[in-house]
Amino acid sequence: MNTINYLRSFFPGRTEEEIIEDLSLLGIDKETGEDIVTPWTVQSDHETGVDYDKLIEKFGSTRIEEDLLKRFEKITGRAPHRFLRRGIFFSHRDMNTVLDLYEQGKPFYLYTGRGPSSEAMHLGHLISFMFCKWLQDVFDVPLVIQVTDDEKLLWKNLEVKEAIKLAHENSKDIIACGFNPDKTFIFSNFEHIGNNPEFYQNIILIQSKVTFNQVRGIFGFVESDAIGKIAFPATQAAPALSTTFPFIFKGEKVQCLIPCGIDQDPYFRMTRDVAPKLGLPKPALLHSIFFPALQGSRTKMSASDSTSAIFLTDSAEQIKDKVNKYAFSGGRATVEEHRKEGGDCEVDTSYQWLKFFLEDDQKLEELRKKYTSGEMLTGELKKELIDVLQALVGEHQKRRSEATDEIVNKFMVPRDLGFALNK
Ligand code: TYM
């Protein structure tokens, strides 16, 4: 049924546009009432979360299958990261092209980003950055990281100064992920754009190739949206073109690989359409599933709901309290029932989170078996998760405290990253 027509009968005074706006705020697809995944909203009605098979079909990407992982291992000589082994990075575009290039000794670079909406980043934001750090280690390639303070001004009504300050604070968390300072360039859009005409030129070139109809189709913009929002996708697209960074790539046309959550894919569907029109390669992508909220997989972890998230600034005590209080349990109503029937790992937040962060495959499997058989209770599984998270966040905080303003400034200076056309 068409949800708009249905709702119109209840709200005769509201225009179609207003109803569409309300629906997208609620995270409901206007045509079908199904889950939606956009850069701004992730909402699912299914207990186990977003249906990623459907999403792959809808977005037209490709599932990461065993043969790609084997090829990856063969070419790089490195066992796949746990995010690949466990289907957390589950979808791609043109990853085989990137592996072909690597095999032939030809260059490519990594690009990812962060929209600094608050000082504290959460565990979900770590996923792409942890993975990028690993990819940078494996391939030894340049990495550019865009911090979209401009985007957050547009979407969150931040002041310019506040947005730039958040960009710097978030950069400390990014640096704490351990990126190679000689191969990583981090930039705030507000600060970088004025000093680098090629960045602005590429933004305008991209804008000249995309119509309002296209961005409306891809992002669901409506006529009452600020024009800054409508133009913004070109700003996120530009770093996927190597000519945006003449100080790194010296004007060469270099393949880009973007690891990110699948919510960011709309930006890069648009970029892939535009890049060949500008004589540049389409960026390749690696997509991750969403790190679920504490309350379960129906929605992704969100910074605007502090009970849904563990922040990278949370203390060991806060981590323990939040997990014990809010982590959705796949356990049964009573201990007797649980011992008899066992727990459901598919919906249990503690197990799902351990899949992201517990490195040891054997231990993870052991926990799964014990919880599923009822031998292990929810409280015990939560304790396993709390131990892992306290160590992870504690170590992150230590590394972050070492990321001084001076170090941040070093990462943010436009500079040569030792790029060479041939290895
Ligand atoms: P932002 O700040 O919303 O998110 C930063 C990165 O984290 C991913 N992410 C998640 N991944 C898994 N589970 C979650 N719960 C979760 N929440 C966020 C996002 O997909 C993203 O990869 N517009 C962007 C900033 C940006 C960008 C980019 C991101 C600019 N250029 C290039 C990726 C690639 C944003 O606001 O991201």
Side-chain angles (χ1 to χ4, degrees):
M1 180 197 315
N2 181 320
T3 316
I4 297 173
N5 286 338
Y6 175 70
L7 287 179
R8 204 185 262 138
S9 59
F10 290 99
F11 305 105
R14 283 181 82 66
T15 63
E16 178 164 325
E17 209 166 80
E18 286 169 330
I19 293 173
I20 291 174
E21 236 168 344
D22 294 347
L23 287 174
S24 75
L25 278 177
L26 289 169
I28 298 167
D29 186 281
K30 60 183 185 293
E31 292 302 330
T32 62
E34 279 181 9
D35 331 332
I36 62 169
V37 173
T38 73
W40 308 285
T41 314
V42 175
Q43 190 91 44
S44 166
D45 278 344
H46 309 115
E47 230 188 2
T48 49
V50 173
D51 183 335
Y52 289 104
D53 283 325
K54 268 199 187 150
L55 210 56
I56 282 180
E57 209 175 295
K58 193 165 152 191
F59 285 6
S61 62
T62 307
R63 186 168 268 286
I64 296 178
E65 305 279 8
E66 204 45 45
D67 54 347
L68 182 66
L69 297 189
K70 283 203 180 114
R71 182 162 186 231
F72 190 100
E73 186 161 5
K74 189 166 159 246
I75 293 175
T76 63
R78 294 278 292 262
H81 189 276
R82 64 175 185 278
F83 289 168
L84 289 169
R85 299 199 300 274
R86 297 179 191 162
I88 287 167
F89 271 82
F90 73 107
S91 151
H92 76 101
R93 295 181 190 276
D94 287 345
M95 191 56 205
N96 273 310
T97 306
V98 173
L99 292 179
D100 288 346
L101 289 171
Y102 186 72
E103 221 173 10
Q104 295 158 15
K106 293 187 181 149
F108 71 94
Y109 72 103
L110 294 164
Y111 160 42
T112 198
R114 157 78 181 140
S117 53
S118 58
E119 225 160 273
M121 281 168 55
H122 61 57
L123 289 175
H125 296 128
L126 270 190
I127 309 304
S128 291
F129 290 109
M130 280 178 146
F131 192 54
C132 261
K133 143 86 180 141
W134 182 80
L135 289 169
Q136 188 183 50
D137 287 349
V138 170
F139 291 108
D140 191 29
V141 287
L143 162 67
V144 295
I145 301 177
Q146 180 180 51
V147 188
T148 52
D149 36 17
D150 51 349
E151 175 191 12
K152 291 304 154 183
L153 179 144
L154 288 161
W155 266 270
K156 302 273 175 187
N157 294 322
L158 297 182
E159 299 285 331
V160 173
K161 272 197 180 148
E162 174 68 1
I164 294 177
K165 185 174 149 264
L166 292 181
H168 278 250
E169 285 309 309
N170 282 199
S171 297
K172 292 182 184 169
D173 278 310
I174 294 169
I175 290 167
C177 293
F179 295 110
N180 178 348
D182 296 329
K183 295 235 154 143
T184 307
F185 173 52
I186 304 178
F187 60 102
S188 118
N189 283 344
F190 273 139
E191 293 181 309
H192 182 58
I193 218 158
N195 299 325
N196 286 86
E198 290 81 358
F199 184 19
Y200 185 60
Q201 287 159 18
N202 272 348
I203 291 172
I204 299 298
L205 282 170
I206 293 164
Q207 287 176 4
S208 76
K209 302 282 180 214
V210 185
T211 65
F212 175 57
N213 269 341
Q214 283 172 312
V215 285
R216 181 166 51 190
I218 298 172
F219 297 95
F221 291 133
V222 292
E223 283 172 22
S224 56
D225 275 323
I227 57 171
K229 288 188 180 180
I230 292 154
F232 173 76
T235 312
Q236 182 154 332
L241 310 182
S242 58
T243 49
T244 295
F245 306 102
F247 47 91
I248 303 176
F249 301 111
K250 332 276 172 353
E252 296 292 341
K253 296 174 179 182
V254 183
Q255 174 70 48
C256 173
L257 169 63
I258 308 169
C260 60
I262 194 149
D263 57 326
Q264 300 296 310
D265 187 68
Y267 287 109
F268 303 118
R269 287 206 292 278
M270 186 196 89
T271 315
R272 284 169 58 84
D273 183 57
V274 175
K277 295 177 185 164
L278 299 174
L280 286 147
K282 290 181 178 190
L285 282 121
L286 286 167
H287 299 121
S288 81
I289 61 170
F290 300 113
F291 187 70
L294 268 165
Q295 289 78 2
S297 297
R298 283 171 195 245
T299 175
K300 69 168 184 169
M301 177 170 277
S302 161
S304 48
D305 175 2
S306 71
T307 67
S308 81
I310 300 281
F311 293 99
L312 299 176
T313 45
D314 282 350
S315 65
E317 204 51 33
Q318 281 172 313
I319 292 173
K320 185 171 152 205
D321 285 351
K322 280 190 188 176
V323 171
N324 282 333
K325 219 169 174 175
Y326 302 116
F328 186 78
S329 164
R332 306 287 164 179
T334 64
V335 173
E336 293 71 39
E337 217 182 301
H338 187 86
R339 294 274 186 229
K340 211 164 118 209
E341 311 270 339
D344 182 354
C345 283
E346 285 312 302
V347 298
D348 190 281
T349 298
S350 302
Y351 178 78
Q352 291 301 321
W353 283 24
L354 282 164
K355 251 170 86 176
F356 283 78
F357 293 125
L358 178 64
E359 176 61 33
D360 186 339
D361 288 343
Q362 236 176 332
K363 173 138 196 218
L364 185 69
E365 179 55 12
E366 209 175 284
L367 293 176
R368 193 191 64 76
K369 280 191 183 146
K370 282 188 178 169
Y371 194 63
T372 311
S373 69
E375 188 186 336
M376 183 172 235
L377 298 174
T378 296
E380 293 163 327
L381 191 61
K382 284 190 173 185
K383 171 80 175 62
E384 295 285 342
L385 175 67
I386 290 166
D387 288 347
V388 169
L389 292 183
Q390 285 178 335
L392 177 95
V393 175
E395 282 157 25
H396 179 89
Q397 287 172 356
K398 186 168 167 291
R399 287 193 304 271
R400 190 190 194 277
S401 69
E402 290 158 7
T404 57
D405 288 335
E406 203 190 335
I407 291 179
V408 173
N409 291 339
K410 277 192 183 153
F411 272 91
M412 295 184 108
V413 172
R415 64 203 189 282
D416 189 337
L417 299 182
F419 167 81
L421 257 191
N422 291 302
K423 271 199 301 190

Short mmCIF file of all heavy atoms in Angstrom, two decimals, residues 169-207:
data_model
loop_
_atom_site.label_atom_id
_atom_site.label_comp_id
_atom_site.label_asym_id
_atom_site.label_seq_id
_atom_site.Cartn_x
_atom_site.Cartn_y
_atom_site.Cartn_z
N GLU A 169 38.63 17.47 17.64
CA GLU A 169 38.49 16.50 18.75
C GLU A 169 38.32 15.09 18.19
O GLU A 169 38.94 14.14 18.66
CB GLU A 169 37.28 16.86 19.63
CG GLU A 169 37.53 18.04 20.53
CD GLU A 169 38.82 17.89 21.34
OE1 GLU A 169 39.00 16.85 21.98
OE2 GLU A 169 39.66 18.82 21.31
N ASN A 170 37.47 14.96 17.16
CA ASN A 170 37.25 13.63 16.56
C ASN A 170 38.52 13.12 15.89
O ASN A 170 38.77 11.91 15.86
CB ASN A 170 36.11 13.67 15.54
CG ASN A 170 34.74 13.66 16.19
OD1 ASN A 170 33.75 13.34 15.55
ND2 ASN A 170 34.65 14.01 17.46
N SER A 171 39.33 14.03 15.36
CA SER A 171 40.58 13.58 14.71
C SER A 171 41.49 12.89 15.71
O SER A 171 42.23 11.97 15.35
CB SER A 171 41.31 14.77 14.09
OG SER A 171 40.49 15.31 13.08
N LYS A 172 41.41 13.30 16.98
CA LYS A 172 42.23 12.63 18.00
C LYS A 172 41.81 11.16 18.15
O LYS A 172 42.64 10.27 18.28
CB LYS A 172 42.11 13.35 19.35
CG LYS A 172 42.73 14.72 19.32
CD LYS A 172 42.64 15.39 20.68
CE LYS A 172 43.19 16.81 20.56
NZ LYS A 172 42.93 17.62 21.73
N ASP A 173 40.50 10.93 18.12
CA ASP A 173 40.02 9.54 18.20
C ASP A 173 40.45 8.75 16.97
O ASP A 173 40.77 7.57 17.05
CB ASP A 173 38.49 9.51 18.31
CG ASP A 173 38.03 9.74 19.74
OD1 ASP A 173 38.56 9.06 20.64
OD2 ASP A 173 37.16 10.60 19.96
N ILE A 174 40.44 9.43 15.83
CA ILE A 174 40.83 8.76 14.59
C ILE A 174 42.32 8.39 14.65
O ILE A 174 42.70 7.26 14.37
CB ILE A 174 40.49 9.65 13.37
CG1 ILE A 174 38.97 9.80 13.24
CG2 ILE A 174 41.08 9.07 12.08
CD1 ILE A 174 38.51 10.85 12.24
N ILE A 175 43.13 9.36 15.08
CA ILE A 175 44.58 9.11 15.17
C ILE A 175 44.86 7.98 16.16
O ILE A 175 45.75 7.15 15.94
CB ILE A 175 45.30 10.42 15.58
CG1 ILE A 175 45.24 11.41 14.42
CG2 ILE A 175 46.75 10.16 16.02
CD1 ILE A 175 45.62 12.85 14.78
N ALA A 176 44.04 7.93 17.24
CA ALA A 176 44.24 6.88 18.26
C ALA A 176 44.03 5.47 17.69
O ALA A 176 44.40 4.49 18.33
CB ALA A 176 43.31 7.12 19.44
N CYS A 177 43.45 5.37 16.49
CA CYS A 177 43.29 4.05 15.86
C CYS A 177 44.62 3.55 15.31
O CYS A 177 44.71 2.40 14.86
CB CYS A 177 42.24 4.10 14.75
SG CYS A 177 40.59 4.41 15.38
N GLY A 178 45.64 4.39 15.31
CA GLY A 178 47.00 3.91 15.00
C GLY A 178 47.46 4.09 13.56
O GLY A 178 48.35 3.37 13.12
N PHE A 179 46.89 5.07 12.84
CA PHE A 179 47.29 5.24 11.43
C PHE A 179 48.74 5.69 11.29
O PHE A 179 49.26 6.39 12.16
CB PHE A 179 46.36 6.25 10.74
CG PHE A 179 44.95 5.75 10.66
CD1 PHE A 179 43.94 6.32 11.41
CD2 PHE A 179 44.65 4.67 9.85
CE1 PHE A 179 42.64 5.82 11.36
CE2 PHE A 179 43.36 4.16 9.78
CZ PHE A 179 42.36 4.74 10.54
N ASN A 180 49.33 5.29 10.17
CA ASN A 180 50.72 5.64 9.88
C ASN A 180 50.79 7.15 9.57
O ASN A 180 50.23 7.59 8.56
CB ASN A 180 51.17 4.80 8.66
CG ASN A 180 52.59 5.12 8.24
OD1 ASN A 180 53.18 6.10 8.68
ND2 ASN A 180 53.13 4.27 7.37
N PRO A 181 51.47 7.95 10.40
CA PRO A 181 51.49 9.41 10.19
C PRO A 181 52.13 9.81 8.87
O PRO A 181 51.84 10.87 8.32
CB PRO A 181 52.30 9.95 11.37
CG PRO A 181 52.94 8.78 12.02
CD PRO A 181 52.25 7.53 11.57
N ASP A 182 53.01 8.95 8.33
CA ASP A 182 53.67 9.30 7.07
C ASP A 182 52.78 9.04 5.86
O ASP A 182 53.10 9.44 4.75
CB ASP A 182 54.95 8.46 6.90
CG ASP A 182 55.95 8.79 7.99
OD1 ASP A 182 55.94 9.94 8.45
OD2 ASP A 182 56.69 7.88 8.41
N LYS A 183 51.68 8.30 6.08
CA LYS A 183 50.84 7.90 4.92
C LYS A 183 49.40 8.33 5.07
O LYS A 183 48.53 7.85 4.33
CB LYS A 183 50.89 6.37 4.79
CG LYS A 183 52.26 5.82 4.45
CD LYS A 183 52.22 4.96 3.21
CE LYS A 183 53.57 4.99 2.60
NZ LYS A 183 54.10 3.91 2.01
N THR A 184 49.10 9.18 6.09
CA THR A 184 47.70 9.51 6.35
C THR A 184 47.49 11.01 6.38
O THR A 184 48.19 11.73 7.10
CB THR A 184 47.27 8.91 7.72
OG1 THR A 184 47.60 7.52 7.71
CG2 THR A 184 45.79 9.08 7.96
N PHE A 185 46.51 11.47 5.61
CA PHE A 185 46.16 12.89 5.59
C PHE A 185 44.72 13.03 6.10
O PHE A 185 43.80 12.44 5.53
CB PHE A 185 46.27 13.44 4.16
CG PHE A 185 45.76 14.85 4.01
CD1 PHE A 185 46.20 15.87 4.85
CD2 PHE A 185 44.83 15.17 3.02
CE1 PHE A 185 45.73 17.17 4.71
CE2 PHE A 185 44.36 16.47 2.87
CZ PHE A 185 44.81 17.47 3.72
N ILE A 186 44.55 13.76 7.21
CA ILE A 186 43.21 14.00 7.76
C ILE A 186 42.88 15.47 7.47
O ILE A 186 43.72 16.34 7.67
CB ILE A 186 43.18 13.77 9.29
CG1 ILE A 186 43.67 12.35 9.63
CG2 ILE A 186 41.78 14.00 9.86
CD1 ILE A 186 43.74 12.04 11.12
N PHE A 187 41.66 15.74 7.00
CA PHE A 187 41.32 17.15 6.75
C PHE A 187 39.89 17.47 7.14
O PHE A 187 38.98 16.65 7.02
CB PHE A 187 41.57 17.53 5.28
CG PHE A 187 40.77 16.72 4.30
CD1 PHE A 187 39.62 17.26 3.72
CD2 PHE A 187 41.14 15.43 3.96
CE1 PHE A 187 38.87 16.50 2.80
CE2 PHE A 187 40.40 14.67 3.05
CZ PHE A 187 39.28 15.21 2.48
N SER A 188 39.72 18.71 7.69
CA SER A 188 38.40 19.25 7.96
C SER A 188 38.00 20.01 6.69
O SER A 188 38.81 20.79 6.16
CB SER A 188 38.48 20.17 9.18
OG SER A 188 38.12 21.50 8.84
N ASN A 189 36.79 19.80 6.21
CA ASN A 189 36.38 20.49 4.97
C ASN A 189 36.48 22.00 5.10
O ASN A 189 37.00 22.67 4.21
CB ASN A 189 34.95 20.10 4.60
CG ASN A 189 34.89 18.72 3.98
OD1 ASN A 189 35.92 18.18 3.56
ND2 ASN A 189 33.71 18.13 3.95
N PHE A 190 35.97 22.53 6.22
CA PHE A 190 35.99 23.99 6.40
C PHE A 190 37.40 24.55 6.28
O PHE A 190 37.62 25.61 5.71
CB PHE A 190 35.44 24.36 7.78
CG PHE A 190 33.94 24.53 7.81
CD1 PHE A 190 33.19 24.06 8.87
CD2 PHE A 190 33.27 25.19 6.78
CE1 PHE A 190 31.81 24.22 8.90
CE2 PHE A 190 31.90 25.36 6.80
CZ PHE A 190 31.16 24.87 7.87
N GLU A 191 38.37 23.84 6.84
CA GLU A 191 39.73 24.38 6.87
C GLU A 191 40.50 24.11 5.58
O GLU A 191 41.33 24.90 5.17
CB GLU A 191 40.48 23.78 8.06
CG GLU A 191 39.91 24.25 9.38
CD GLU A 191 40.68 23.69 10.54
OE1 GLU A 191 40.88 22.46 10.59
OE2 GLU A 191 41.09 24.47 11.40
N HIS A 192 40.23 22.97 4.97
CA HIS A 192 41.06 22.55 3.85
C HIS A 192 40.66 23.19 2.53
O HIS A 192 41.50 23.47 1.67
CB HIS A 192 40.98 21.02 3.74
CG HIS A 192 41.83 20.44 2.66
ND1 HIS A 192 43.19 20.63 2.61
CD2 HIS A 192 41.51 19.68 1.59
CE1 HIS A 192 43.66 20.00 1.55
NE2 HIS A 192 42.67 19.42 0.92
N ILE A 193 39.36 23.44 2.39
CA ILE A 193 38.83 23.79 1.08
C ILE A 193 39.46 25.10 0.54
O ILE A 193 39.80 25.19 -0.64
CB ILE A 193 37.29 23.88 1.14
CG1 ILE A 193 36.70 23.34 -0.14
CG2 ILE A 193 36.77 25.27 1.41
CD1 ILE A 193 35.27 22.89 0.02
N GLY A 194 39.66 26.08 1.43
CA GLY A 194 40.16 27.38 0.98
C GLY A 194 41.60 27.33 0.50
O GLY A 194 42.00 28.11 -0.37
N ASN A 195 42.37 26.40 1.06
CA ASN A 195 43.80 26.34 0.70
C ASN A 195 44.08 25.44 -0.49
O ASN A 195 45.21 25.35 -0.94
CB ASN A 195 44.60 25.79 1.89
CG ASN A 195 44.46 26.69 3.09
OD1 ASN A 195 44.37 27.90 2.92
ND2 ASN A 195 44.38 26.12 4.26
N ASN A 196 43.04 24.72 -0.94
CA ASN A 196 43.29 23.74 -1.99
C ASN A 196 42.29 23.87 -3.13
O ASN A 196 41.25 23.21 -3.14
CB ASN A 196 43.25 22.33 -1.41
CG ASN A 196 44.51 22.10 -0.61
OD1 ASN A 196 44.57 22.43 0.56
ND2 ASN A 196 45.54 21.59 -1.26
N PRO A 197 42.64 24.74 -4.10
CA PRO A 197 41.68 25.01 -5.18
C PRO A 197 41.23 23.74 -5.90
O PRO A 197 40.08 23.65 -6.32
CB PRO A 197 42.46 25.93 -6.13
CG PRO A 197 43.84 26.04 -5.61
CD PRO A 197 43.88 25.51 -4.22
N GLU A 198 42.10 22.73 -5.99
CA GLU A 198 41.70 21.51 -6.74
C GLU A 198 40.52 20.80 -6.07
O GLU A 198 39.71 20.16 -6.74
CB GLU A 198 42.88 20.53 -6.86
CG GLU A 198 43.99 21.00 -7.79
CD GLU A 198 44.94 21.99 -7.14
OE1 GLU A 198 44.72 22.37 -5.96
OE2 GLU A 198 45.90 22.41 -7.81
N PHE A 199 40.45 20.91 -4.76
CA PHE A 199 39.33 20.30 -4.03
C PHE A 199 38.03 20.99 -4.45
O PHE A 199 37.07 20.34 -4.87
CB PHE A 199 39.59 20.46 -2.52
CG PHE A 199 38.60 19.80 -1.59
CD1 PHE A 199 37.75 18.79 -2.01
CD2 PHE A 199 38.53 20.20 -0.25
CE1 PHE A 199 36.85 18.18 -1.14
CE2 PHE A 199 37.63 19.60 0.63
CZ PHE A 199 36.79 18.61 0.18
N TYR A 200 38.03 22.31 -4.38
CA TYR A 200 36.82 23.07 -4.77
C TYR A 200 36.49 22.85 -6.24
O TYR A 200 35.33 22.67 -6.62
CB TYR A 200 37.02 24.56 -4.45
CG TYR A 200 35.77 25.37 -4.71
CD1 TYR A 200 34.59 25.08 -4.03
CD2 TYR A 200 35.77 26.40 -5.64
CE1 TYR A 200 33.43 25.80 -4.28
CE2 TYR A 200 34.61 27.13 -5.89
CZ TYR A 200 33.45 26.83 -5.21
OH TYR A 200 32.30 27.53 -5.45
N GLN A 201 37.53 22.84 -7.08
CA GLN A 201 37.29 22.64 -8.52
C GLN A 201 36.60 21.30 -8.77
O GLN A 201 35.64 21.21 -9.54
CB GLN A 201 38.61 22.70 -9.30
CG GLN A 201 39.17 24.11 -9.40
CD GLN A 201 40.67 24.15 -9.70
OE1 GLN A 201 41.24 23.15 -10.15
NE2 GLN A 201 41.30 25.28 -9.44
N ASN A 202 37.07 20.26 -8.10
CA ASN A 202 36.44 18.94 -8.29
C ASN A 202 35.00 18.92 -7.77
O ASN A 202 34.13 18.29 -8.37
CB ASN A 202 37.27 17.84 -7.63
CG ASN A 202 38.33 17.29 -8.58
OD1 ASN A 202 38.29 17.59 -9.78
ND2 ASN A 202 39.26 16.52 -8.08
N ILE A 203 34.76 19.61 -6.66
CA ILE A 203 33.39 19.68 -6.14
C ILE A 203 32.46 20.29 -7.20
O ILE A 203 31.39 19.75 -7.51
CB ILE A 203 33.35 20.52 -4.83
CG1 ILE A 203 34.05 19.76 -3.71
CG2 ILE A 203 31.90 20.84 -4.44
CD1 ILE A 203 34.24 20.56 -2.44
N ILE A 204 32.92 21.38 -7.79
CA ILE A 204 32.07 22.05 -8.79
C ILE A 204 31.94 21.19 -10.05
O ILE A 204 30.86 21.09 -10.64
CB ILE A 204 32.63 23.46 -9.13
CG1 ILE A 204 32.64 24.33 -7.87
CG2 ILE A 204 31.82 24.12 -10.25
CD1 ILE A 204 31.29 24.61 -7.24
N LEU A 205 33.04 20.53 -10.44
CA LEU A 205 32.94 19.64 -11.61
C LEU A 205 31.90 18.54 -11.35
O LEU A 205 31.09 18.21 -12.23
CB LEU A 205 34.30 19.00 -11.91
CG LEU A 205 35.31 19.89 -12.63
CD1 LEU A 205 36.69 19.26 -12.64
CD2 LEU A 205 34.84 20.15 -14.06
N ILE A 206 31.93 17.99 -10.14
CA ILE A 206 30.95 16.93 -9.81
C ILE A 206 29.54 17.52 -9.84
O ILE A 206 28.62 16.95 -10.42
CB ILE A 206 31.28 16.30 -8.43
CG1 ILE A 206 32.61 15.55 -8.50
CG2 ILE A 206 30.16 15.36 -7.99
CD1 ILE A 206 33.23 15.22 -7.17
N GLN A 207 29.39 18.69 -9.21
CA GLN A 207 28.06 19.33 -9.19
C GLN A 207 27.54 19.57 -10.61
O GLN A 207 26.35 19.49 -10.86
CB GLN A 207 28.12 20.65 -8.42
CG GLN A 207 28.25 20.45 -6.92
CD GLN A 207 28.40 21.75 -6.17
OE1 GLN A 207 28.34 22.83 -6.74
NE2 GLN A 207 28.59 21.66 -4.86
#
